[in-house]
Amino acid sequence: MTRIIADISMSLDGFVTGPDAGPENGLGTGGEALHTWVFSEDPDDRRLLREGTARSGAVVMGRRLFDIVDGPGGWDDTVGYGAAEVGKPPFVVVTSTRPASVRLTDLDWTFVTTGLPDAVAAARERAEAASASSGKDLDVVLMGGGATIGSALASGLVDVLSLHLAPVILGAGTPLFPPGTPRALTRRTVTLTSTATHLTYDVH
């Protein structure tokens, strides 16, 4: 069964970027600390990253995040989806306008201009097709940014919330949980590593 999994790193005070995030400063000031676990040699960090990349039948991202990963300082052959895993699932970008060009032409991009629910539906179709082809259950992963995941949670589009809680207080930045509709969560897993606390919740 294909699930919709929101997967993102967050500070202890609830931010998914530091302040002043932008195309040339994707994680904001101090935000690199959120992804220390991604480049860690801790065996559990490596395992979680590898498993998360492998389960991705399709990935949804917002336009701001696309502009960062497809920009000149973005992904390459050594660091991409899943960091050093450099996974290549289909990518679905929710955007108001399609980009004039794409740098990462070796990746499978779909641009959806009719809103987040349609982007998630398109990604589900791709993930279900990949599941049928591979013979194993693959999921849709919402990788961000924070506004995209926050909107998906508020709209009831998320089945599972996977948080990588970094031991840092950023003080400001992009919040993951802006004021909105309450959601009940059921905790499923907790994994403590040397760099983060990895939490998985079912969303009701």
Side-chain angles (χ1 to χ4, degrees):
M1 177 180 174
T2 295
R3 302 169 299 170
I4 310 300
I5 300 177
D7 189 300
I8 197 162
S9 299
M10 186 177 75
S11 68
L12 289 175
D13 51 347
F15 295 105
V16 297
T17 76
D20 303 317
E24 304 300 323
N25 189 27
L27 288 172
T29 302
E32 295 82 3
L34 299 174
H35 285 179
T36 298
W37 76 272
V38 173
F39 300 99
S40 163
E41 295 301 321
D42 185 295
D44 283 326
D45 285 331
R46 302 307 308 163
R47 175 182 59 80
L48 290 168
L49 190 64
R50 183 172 60 252
E51 291 174 353
T53 305
R55 78 168 180 245
S56 302
V59 174
V60 176
M61 69 177 72
R63 178 57 185 270
R64 289 183 182 177
L65 182 55
F66 167 78
D67 287 341
I68 291 169
V69 302
D70 194 57
W75 290 349
D76 57 26
D77 291 337
T78 60
V79 178
Y81 179 67
E85 298 292 321
V86 196
K88 294 187 177 182
F91 296 94
V92 178
V93 181
V94 58
T95 179
S96 58
T97 57
R98 299 173 184 271
S101 62
V102 174
R103 178 178 65 87
L104 297 169
T105 56
D106 61 325
L107 298 181
D108 180 351
W109 297 103
T110 298
F111 298 94
V112 174
T113 59
T114 51
L116 181 57
D118 286 346
V120 171
R124 185 189 291 276
E125 289 183 6
R126 301 298 299 274
E128 289 175 344
S131 297
S133 176
S134 67
K136 60 182 180 180
D137 288 336
L138 298 173
D139 298 314
V140 173
V141 176
L142 307 183
M143 70 170 292
T148 298
I149 288 181
S151 294
L153 284 166
S155 300
L157 297 174
V158 177
D159 300 315
V160 177
L161 176 61
S162 178
L163 291 177
H164 311 284
L165 193 61
V168 61
I169 295 173
L170 293 175
T174 305
L176 180 58
F177 303 116
T181 304
R183 291 286 169 191
L185 306 176
T186 299
R187 191 183 67 205
R188 291 304 180 196
T189 65
V190 179
T191 303
L192 301 176
T193 72
S194 59
T195 60
T197 302
H198 304 276
L199 302 160
T200 302
Y201 299 91
D202 289 339
V203 182
H204 306 290

